Structures are given as C-alpha cells and as structure tokens.
Coordinates of all heavy atoms in Angstrom, one line a residue:
D1 N -3.4 -1.8 16.9 CA -2.9 -0.5 17.4 C -4.0 0.3 18.0 O -3.8 1.5 18.3 CB -2.3 0.3 16.2 CG -1.1 -0.4 15.6 OD1 -0.4 -1.1 16.4 OD2 -0.8 -0.2 14.4
G2 N -5.2 -0.3 18.2 CA -6.3 0.5 18.8 C -7.4 0.6 17.7 O -7.4 0.0 16.6
P3 N -8.5 1.3 18.1 CA -9.6 1.5 17.2 C -9.2 2.2 15.9 O -8.5 3.2 16.0 CB -10.7 2.2 18.0 CG -10.0 2.7 19.2 CD -8.7 2.0 19.3
R4 N -9.8 1.8 14.8 CA -9.5 2.4 13.5 C -10.8 2.7 12.8 O -11.7 1.9 12.8 CB -8.7 1.4 12.6 CG -7.4 0.9 13.1 CD -6.3 2.0 13.3 NE -5.9 2.5 12.0 CZ -4.7 2.3 11.5 NH1 -3.9 1.4 12.0 NH2 -4.4 2.8 10.3
Q5 N -10.9 3.9 12.2 CA -12.1 4.4 11.5 C -12.0 4.0 10.1 O -11.0 4.2 9.4 CB -12.2 5.9 11.6 CG -13.5 6.5 11.1 CD -13.5 6.8 9.6 OE1 -12.5 6.9 9.0 NE2 -14.7 6.8 9.0
I6 N -13.0 3.3 9.6 CA -13.1 2.9 8.2 C -14.2 3.7 7.5 O -15.3 3.8 8.0 CB -13.5 1.4 8.2 CG1 -12.5 0.5 9.0 CG2 -13.5 0.9 6.7 CD1 -11.1 0.6 8.7
D7 N -13.9 4.3 6.4 CA -14.9 5.1 5.6 C -16.0 4.2 5.2 O -17.2 4.5 5.4 CB -14.2 5.8 4.5 CG -13.2 6.8 4.9 OD1 -13.3 7.3 6.1 OD2 -12.3 7.2 4.1
V8 N -15.7 3.1 4.4 CA -16.7 2.2 3.9 C -16.2 0.8 4.2 O -15.0 0.5 3.9 CB -17.0 2.4 2.4 CG1 -18.0 1.4 1.9 CG2 -17.5 3.9 2.2
L9 N -17.1 -0.1 4.7 CA -16.7 -1.4 5.0 C -17.6 -2.4 4.2 O -18.8 -2.3 4.3 CB -16.8 -1.7 6.5 CG -16.5 -3.2 6.9 CD1 -15.0 -3.5 6.7 CD2 -16.8 -3.4 8.3
L10 N -17.0 -3.3 3.4 CA -17.7 -4.3 2.7 C -17.5 -5.6 3.3 O -16.4 -6.0 3.5 CB -17.2 -4.4 1.2 CG -17.3 -3.1 0.4 CD1 -16.6 -3.4 -1.0 CD2 -18.7 -2.6 0.2
K11 N -18.6 -6.2 3.7 CA -18.5 -7.6 4.3 C -19.3 -8.5 3.3 O -20.4 -8.3 3.0 CB -19.2 -7.6 5.6 CG -18.5 -6.9 6.7 CD -19.3 -7.0 8.0 CE -18.7 -6.2 9.1 NZ -19.4 -6.3 10.4
S12 N -18.6 -9.5 2.9 CA -19.2 -10.5 1.9 C -18.8 -11.9 2.3 O -17.9 -12.1 3.1 CB -18.8 -10.1 0.5 OG -17.4 -10.1 0.4
T13 N -19.5 -12.8 1.6 CA -19.2 -14.2 1.8 C -18.9 -14.8 0.4 O -19.8 -14.7 -0.5 CB -20.3 -15.0 2.5 OG1 -20.6 -14.3 3.8 CG2 -20.0 -16.4 2.7
V14 N -17.8 -15.5 0.3 CA -17.4 -16.1 -1.0 C -17.1 -17.6 -0.7 O -16.2 -17.8 0.1 CB -16.2 -15.4 -1.7 CG1 -15.8 -16.2 -2.9 CG2 -16.6 -14.0 -2.0
A15 N -17.8 -18.5 -1.3 CA -17.6 -19.9 -1.1 C -17.7 -20.3 0.4 O -16.9 -21.1 0.9 CB -16.3 -20.4 -1.7
G16 N -18.6 -19.6 1.1 CA -18.8 -19.8 2.5 C -17.7 -19.2 3.5 O -17.8 -19.4 4.7
M17 N -16.8 -18.4 2.9 CA -15.8 -17.8 3.7 C -16.0 -16.3 3.8 O -16.3 -15.6 2.7 CB -14.4 -18.0 3.0 CG -14.0 -19.5 3.0 SD -12.4 -19.7 2.3 CE -12.8 -19.5 0.6
P18 N -15.9 -15.7 5.0 CA -16.1 -14.2 5.1 C -14.9 -13.5 4.5 O -13.8 -13.8 4.7 CB -16.2 -14.0 6.6 CG -15.4 -15.2 7.2 CD -15.6 -16.3 6.2
I19 N -15.3 -12.4 3.8 CA -14.3 -11.5 3.2 C -14.6 -10.1 3.7 O -15.7 -9.6 3.6 CB -14.4 -11.5 1.6 CG1 -14.2 -13.0 1.1 CG2 -13.3 -10.6 1.0 CD1 -12.8 -13.6 1.3
C20 N -13.6 -9.4 4.2 CA -13.7 -8.1 4.7 C -12.8 -7.1 3.8 O -11.7 -7.4 3.6 CB -13.2 -8.0 6.1 SG -13.3 -6.4 6.9
T21 N -13.5 -6.1 3.3 CA -12.8 -5.1 2.4 C -12.9 -3.7 3.0 O -14.1 -3.3 3.2 CB -13.3 -5.1 1.0 OG1 -13.3 -6.5 0.5 CG2 -12.6 -4.2 0.1
V22 N -11.8 -3.1 3.3 CA -11.9 -1.7 3.8 C -11.7 -0.7 2.6 O -10.9 -1.0 1.7 CB -10.8 -1.4 4.9 CG1 -11.1 -2.2 6.1 CG2 -9.4 -1.7 4.4
V23 N -12.5 0.3 2.6 CA -12.5 1.3 1.5 C -12.2 2.7 2.1 O -12.9 3.1 3.1 CB -13.8 1.4 0.7 CG1 -13.8 2.4 -0.4 CG2 -14.2 0.0 0.2
E24 N -11.2 3.3 1.7 CA -10.9 4.7 2.1 C -11.2 5.7 1.0 O -10.8 5.5 -0.1 CB -9.4 4.8 2.5 CG -9.0 4.1 3.8 CD -9.6 4.7 5.0 OE1 -9.5 5.9 5.2 OE2 -10.3 4.0 5.8
A25 N -11.9 6.7 1.3 CA -12.3 7.7 0.4 C -11.5 9.0 0.7 O -11.6 9.5 1.8 CB -13.8 8.0 0.4
R26 N -10.8 9.5 -0.3 CA -9.9 10.7 -0.1 C -10.4 11.8 -1.0 O -10.2 11.7 -2.2 CB -8.5 10.4 -0.3 CG -7.9 9.4 0.8 CD -7.8 10.2 2.1 NE -7.5 9.2 3.1 CZ -8.3 9.0 4.2 NH1 -9.4 9.6 4.3 NH2 -7.9 8.1 5.1
D27 N -11.0 12.8 -0.5 CA -11.5 14.0 -1.3 C -10.5 15.1 -1.2 O -10.7 16.1 -0.6 CB -12.8 14.4 -0.8 CG -13.5 15.4 -1.7 OD1 -13.0 15.6 -2.8 OD2 -14.5 16.1 -1.3
Y28 N -9.3 14.9 -1.8 CA -8.3 15.9 -1.8 C -8.2 16.6 -3.2 O -8.5 16.0 -4.2 CB -6.9 15.3 -1.5 CG -6.8 14.7 -0.2 CD1 -5.8 13.8 0.1 CD2 -7.6 15.0 0.9 CE1 -5.6 13.2 1.3 CE2 -7.5 14.4 2.1 CZ -6.5 13.5 2.3 OH -6.3 12.9 3.6
N29 N -7.8 17.9 -3.2 CA -7.6 18.6 -4.5 C -6.2 18.4 -5.0 O -5.8 19.3 -5.8 CB -8.0 20.0 -4.3 CG -7.1 20.8 -3.3 OD1 -6.3 20.2 -2.7 ND2 -7.4 22.1 -3.1
K30 N -5.5 17.4 -4.6 CA -4.2 17.1 -5.1 C -4.0 15.6 -5.3 O -4.9 14.8 -4.8 CB -3.1 17.7 -4.2 CG -3.2 17.1 -2.8 CD -2.1 17.6 -1.9 CE -2.2 17.0 -0.6 NZ -1.2 17.3 0.3
R31 N -3.0 15.2 -6.0 CA -2.7 13.8 -6.1 C -2.3 13.1 -4.8 O -1.7 13.7 -4.0 CB -1.6 13.6 -7.1 CG -2.0 13.9 -8.5 CD -0.8 13.7 -9.4 NE -1.2 13.7 -10.8 CZ -1.0 12.8 -11.7 NH1 -0.2 11.8 -11.4 NH2 -1.5 12.9 -12.9
L32 N -2.8 11.9 -4.7 CA -2.3 11.1 -3.5 C -0.9 10.6 -3.8 O -0.5 10.4 -4.9 CB -3.3 10.0 -3.2 CG -4.7 10.3 -3.0 CD1 -5.5 9.1 -2.7 CD2 -4.9 11.3 -1.9
D33 N -0.2 10.4 -2.7 CA 1.1 9.9 -2.9 C 1.3 8.5 -2.1 O 0.3 8.0 -1.6 CB 2.2 10.9 -2.4 CG 2.1 11.2 -0.9 OD1 1.7 10.4 -0.1 OD2 2.4 12.4 -0.6
I34 N 2.4 8.0 -2.1 CA 2.7 6.6 -1.6 C 2.3 6.6 -0.1 O 2.0 5.5 0.4 CB 4.1 6.2 -1.9 CG1 4.3 4.7 -1.6 CG2 5.1 7.0 -1.1 CD1 3.5 3.8 -2.5
T35 N 2.4 7.7 0.6 CA 2.1 7.6 2.1 C 0.6 7.3 2.3 O 0.3 6.6 3.3 CB 2.4 9.0 2.8 OG1 1.7 10.0 2.2 CG2 3.9 9.3 2.7
H36 N -0.2 7.7 1.4 CA -1.7 7.3 1.5 C -1.9 5.8 1.3 O -2.6 5.2 2.0 CB -2.5 8.1 0.5 CG -2.5 9.6 0.8 ND1 -1.6 10.4 0.1 CD2 -3.2 10.4 1.6 CE1 -1.8 11.7 0.5 NE2 -2.7 11.7 1.5
V37 N -1.2 5.3 0.3 CA -1.2 3.9 0.1 C -0.7 3.1 1.2 O -1.3 2.1 1.7 CB -0.5 3.5 -1.3 CG1 -0.6 2.0 -1.5 CG2 -1.2 4.3 -2.4

C-alpha cells in the first residue's frame, strides 16, 4: 500500500532464516482497542 513507518524494527536470523518483527509503540492515556491491533 506504499511506504509504512515502523517504530521499532527487529531483524534477526534463526536457523539461517531471516525473521522480521515490527514493533509499534503507543503512548496513549487510554486503553487500546481492536482497531489498533
């Protein structure tokens, strides 16, 4: 869908295979809901 901003990106290798994990940090003063997930 175009460029996406990632807060924190973890790149790792497990058993010789690349693994990419995106991490989103939400500093809200309320509970997150299903739309965030």
Side-chain angles (χ1 to χ4, degrees):
D1 298 331
R4 304 292 295 256
Q5 188 273 339
I6 308 297
D7 294 337
V8 178
L9 179 67
L10 303 173
K11 292 181 183 177
S12 54
T13 303
V14 176
M17 296 178 288
I19 304 292
C20 178
T21 304
V22 294
V23 180
E24 288 292 307
R26 294 287 171 245
D27 188 14
Y28 296 161
N29 61 358
K30 60 181 181 174
R31 288 179 168 231
L32 300 183
D33 59 35
I34 193 67
T35 61
H36 296 96
V37 177

